[in-house]
Amino acid sequence: MSTLPPLAGGAQGPDALRPLLATVLDALHEGATRRGGPLPAGGPDAVTAQLHDRVGTLLPEHGTGPDDALRTLVTAVAEGAADPADPLCAAHLHCPPLAVATAADLAASALNPSMDSWDQAPAASALEALLTGALARETYPDAHRPDALVTTGGTEANQLAVLLARETHDATGRHGAVQLLVGENAHHSLARAAWLLGLPEPLVVPAPTGTLDPAALDDALTDLRGPRLVAATAGTTDAGLIDPLPEIADICERHGARLHIDAAYGAGLLFSARHAARLHGLTRAHTVTLDLHKLGWQPVAAGLLAVRDHTEAHALTHTADYLNADDDTEAGLPDLLGRSLRTTRRPDILKTAVTLKALGRTGLGTLVDHVVAAAHHLARLVDAHPALELYDTPTLSTVLFRPTGASDDTVATIRRDLLTEGRAVLGRARMDGRLWLKATLLNPHTEPGDLAALLKLVEGHTPR
C-alpha cells in the first residue's frame, strides 16, 4: 500500500478529500469563534505575534500530517481574518462569497484544469466559452458578436482594455501613441496600465462632483489629435458614483475617441431590474470591465473584460507550439492561448457559472437590491443623526459619513481605533477636500440593527 499522500482528483480523490474537508470546516468555525468579531483585535503587531505563536515552524524536518496542518493553519488564519461575512466588516469592495460559489471553487481546485490549452481543460474550456458568451451578451445585448475575456479582476481587465485600444489603433494605421484620458475619480489601475504599456502619462480630466466632467472632457478632446482612449467609471472606488455615461459616449463619438468603461463595481446592476437603468450608455463603450468578486459574490478572482467587437480580442493571438500548434488548431482543437495574457490560469468560470445557474438573473438581482437598499437605510440613519454628517445619497452600496465638525485627523484616528480594537472595519475616502469614513455594504444579510450598531461604535469613539 502506497505511503504517498493522496491526490484530490480521480475516482478516489473525493474519498481522500472528505475527511480533510471536515477538518477544514471545523477549523473555520473554531477560528471565527475565537476571533469573535469582524477582525482580530490588537493591530498588526499583535496579530502577527499571535499567528507566529499558533503556527510554529512552517517547514519542519518531518511533517505533522495533513489533519494537524490543516487544523492549525486554517484555524490561525480564520482567527486572524477580516471577515467580510461579518456585517461590521464594511471597508472595501471585498465581498462575502456565496457558499455555492465557494463549493464550486473547491471542485475547480480538485480538478485543476489549466485554461491555456484544450488538452488540459476540455470541458472547462467549453464552459468558459458558454459563460463568456452569455456575459458578453448581457453587457452588449444589441451587438452582433460581442465577446468577454476572463481576468483576475478589474485591474487586469483595465490593463487589457488599454492594450486592446493600443493594438486596435496600431492596426488601423493611426499615427502616434494612444493618449489615455481618465477622470480624477478613475481607478489607479488605468494609469498603471498606461505606464506598463509604455504609453504617455494619462491626461486627467476634472471630476469636481466625484464624476467625470463632460464639458472638461469635451475641451480636452478638442485640443488633442491622434488616437485617444477615454476611460469612464461606473462605480467609483471611493463613493460608488457613476459617470454620466450617455453624455460621455456622445462626446467620444463626436471626437472619434474610443471609450472604455470601468464597471468593475457597478456592473452588478445589470442583474437588477430595479437598478439596471443606471448603467444606460454602457453598451456604447468599446470595452467594459466587469468584476464579479464585488457585486457578484464570487471568491477572488472573478473578473472579465467585455468587448463589443469580438475581432478586437484577436490582438492577443499568440502561438506556442506545445500549446496551440497550427496543425492542431487546423484539426479542430480550440486555441485557448489567445484568450488571456496569462498562460496557466484557473477555471474561475466554474464558480461563476454555477452561481448564475443556481440563482439566475432574478436571484442575483435580489442580492444587488438588498445591498443598495441597506446603503440607503444607513444613509438615512446618518442623515438623522445629530452628531454625524452624510456626504450624499448613495448611488450603489457605498456610504460616506463623518462625525460633524471632526478634523481629518480625528476621522482617521476613529477608523484606526476601531480596527485595532477589532470592533469594525471601515474604509476611508477623500472627497471635497475632506476625509470621510466609508462603509461599503456588500453583505446582503446585513440587518438594520447591524447598521445602527455600526454608527453606535463610531459615535462612541467621537471625541466629546
Side-chain angles (χ1 to χ4, degrees), residues 385 414 418 421 453-464:
H385 198 297
I414 290 171
L418 290 172
E421 295 168 9
L454 180 63
L455 296 187
K456 196 75 173 175
L457 285 171
V458 172
E459 182 186 11
H461 284 73
T462 302
R464 301 297 180 185

Side-chain angles (χ1 to χ4, degrees), residues 371-437:
V371 296
V372 173
H376 281 268
H377 182 78
L378 177 59
R380 288 192 295 271
L381 291 179
V382 171
D383 202 33
H385 198 297
L388 297 175
E389 178 184 355
L390 177 68
Y391 173 72
D392 202 354
T393 302
T395 299
L396 295 175
S397 64
T398 299
V399 181
L400 302 184
F401 65 101
R402 53 182 282 139
T404 303
S407 68
D408 286 356
D409 287 344
T410 297
V411 173
T413 298
I414 290 171
R415 174 181 174 271
R416 286 192 294 268
D417 285 348
L418 290 172
L419 290 175
T420 302
E421 295 168 9
R423 306 288 297 279
V425 189
L426 285 169
R428 54 186 286 163
R430 188 166 293 279
M431 300 290 291
D432 293 345
R434 293 192 293 168
L435 189 65
W436 300 80
L437 296 171

Side-chain angles (χ1 to χ4, degrees), residues 40-264:
D45 291 343
V47 172
T48 299
Q50 177 179 277
L51 182 80
H52 288 181
D53 180 63
R54 296 277 196 256
V55 305
T57 303
L58 288 179
L59 186 60
E61 187 64 28
H62 301 288
T64 62
D67 193 71
D68 176 79
L70 279 170
R71 181 177 291 106
T72 299
L73 288 166
V74 173
T75 301
V77 171
E79 183 180 4
D83 185 1
D86 190 300
L88 299 183
C89 186
H92 302 285
L93 289 165
H94 174 206
C95 77
L98 294 167
V100 68
T102 305
D105 214 24
L106 167 65
S109 293
L111 293 168
N112 207 31
S114 183
M115 305 297 293
D116 51 314
S117 68
W118 183 87
D119 58 349
Q120 299 177 83
S125 62
L127 182 63
E128 180 173 280
L130 284 174
L131 178 75
T132 53
L135 291 175
R137 290 188 295 274
E138 192 74 22
T139 308
Y140 293 110
D142 299 324
H144 174 53
R145 284 188 64 189
D147 197 2
L149 303 168
V150 176
T151 71
T152 53
T155 293
E156 185 188 350
N158 282 341
Q159 289 173 349
L160 276 178
V162 178
L163 172 63
L164 293 184
R166 186 191 72 178
E167 296 304 296
T168 299
H169 285 306
D170 288 351
T172 59
R174 297 184 67 179
H175 298 295
V178 172
Q179 176 64 62
L180 175 63
L181 295 91
V182 301
E184 289 176 320
N185 59 346
H187 193 265
H188 61 82
S189 60
L190 286 157
R192 296 188 78 187
W195 165 75
L196 182 67
L197 294 167
L199 297 177
E201 185 174 340
L203 192 157
V204 179
V205 179
T209 62
T211 57
L212 190 151
D213 181 1
L217 175 64
D218 194 25
D219 290 343
L221 288 172
T222 300
D223 295 336
L224 285 174
R225 296 293 178 267
R228 294 151 296 172
L229 169 65
V230 173
T233 306
T236 60
T237 303
D238 278 347
L241 303 178
I242 298 176
D243 287 340
L245 304 181
E247 195 171 353
I248 290 170
D250 287 342
I251 293 169
C252 288
E253 288 182 7
R254 188 162 63 247
H255 288 280
R258 185 181 175 92
L259 175 60
H260 169 66
I261 296 178
D262 177 4

